[in-house]
Amino acid sequence: MTLSPVVTPVELRPRRIWFIIAGLVAVGGVLAAAGVMLFVLRSGGDLGQRLTPSQAVTVHLSPTDEKMVWVEEAGESVPDVSCDASRVDGQEVLESHEVHLLSENVQLNVDNERWRGLLTLSAGPAGWYEVSCRTPGVGPAPTLSIGDPPRFYDARDTALGSLAAFGLAGISVIIGGVLAVVVAVRRGLHRVRLRQQSTDANHG
């Protein structure tokens, strides 16, 4: 009986370190996607200027530079708030948009205070505007603030960001898996070739 030549793992190519690299690619992609979900999608946003109902504050608005009106959550129902914007220089407001965040749960934690996004404001032309917000006047006056919105806050942007994160994780796992399979196949072929070379040398 002829014994097959012994081939040690050290002799095989590619080296086993490529399995570690494949694993790092997969794990790195998953961790990067988790970072996107936890930090990028939920980052950004600030309270800006605090105000009370009917108090006017000056902010910069444009059709593409929107501001968010926040309300401090005090365990009560979300108040019904509406806002008006007028140009500081007295020029005509050509366009003004107020979008209420009815379905989005946009939150911001600052100094142990919990705030919720109520609505976004944008106006044109770009410039400085005097903004005042009002409530129906029923119950205690809410604490409001107007500042920048988070990078992603509406359902569409959040969904797109989430899909991008899941896509990154999926692609990384696929690349890592394919790399591991390729390395395993090439090592198997190299093992066969080394055994054949050893057998030919013994018979030569």
Side-chain angles (χ1 to χ4, degrees):
M1 181 177 64
T2 302
L3 297 177
S4 299
V6 177
V7 178
T8 62
V10 177
E11 300 178 78
L12 297 178
R13 298 294 183 272
R15 296 185 180 276
R16 282 185 292 187
I17 191 174
W18 283 98
F19 287 119
I20 299 177
I21 294 175
L24 290 177
V25 169
V27 173
V30 172
L31 292 178
V36 170
M37 294 289 292
L38 292 177
F39 300 107
V40 177
L41 294 183
R42 302 189 181 189
S43 64
D46 67 76
L47 295 178
Q49 304 179 64
R50 300 197 184 193
L51 68 155
T52 57
S54 300
Q55 175 189 357
V57 295
T58 302
V59 296
H60 187 275
L61 296 176
S62 76
T64 58
D65 179 24
E66 61 186 9
K67 296 296 181 181
M68 178 168 286
V69 176
W70 304 86
V71 62
E72 184 179 3
E73 293 189 333
E76 303 171 354
S77 60
V78 178
D80 183 16
V81 176
S82 58
C83 302
D84 296 315
S86 59
R87 290 289 299 261
V88 172
D89 55 12
Q91 295 185 15
E92 181 184 0
V93 179
L94 300 181
E95 58 177 313
S96 178
H97 302 282
E98 177 181 305
V99 180
H100 289 260
L101 306 177
L102 299 178
S103 59
E104 291 81 9
N105 187 18
V106 183
Q107 295 182 342
L108 186 65
N109 294 316
V110 178
D111 297 332
N112 296 322
E113 296 175 343
R114 192 170 183 177
W115 295 75
R116 175 172 178 154
L118 288 179
L119 55 89
T120 59
L121 295 173
S122 60
W128 291 97
Y129 287 77
E130 192 174 77
V131 176
S132 62
C133 300
R134 59 188 181 276
T135 62
V138 179
T143 302
L144 304 175
S145 186
I146 180 169
D148 293 327
R151 293 188 181 92
F152 299 87
Y153 64 87
D154 62 16
R156 183 181 65 85
D157 290 342
T158 302
L160 291 176
S162 301
L163 286 176
F166 285 122
L168 174 62
I171 291 174
S172 299
V173 170
I174 291 174
I175 292 176
V178 170
L179 180 59
V181 170
V182 170
V183 171
V185 171
R186 292 188 62 185
R187 283 172 64 88
L189 294 176
H190 192 215
R191 184 191 302 274
V192 172
R193 187 163 63 251
L194 289 178
R195 283 177 176 173
Q196 185 63 43
Q197 291 174 353
S198 179
T199 299
D200 293 343
N202 292 334
H203 291 166

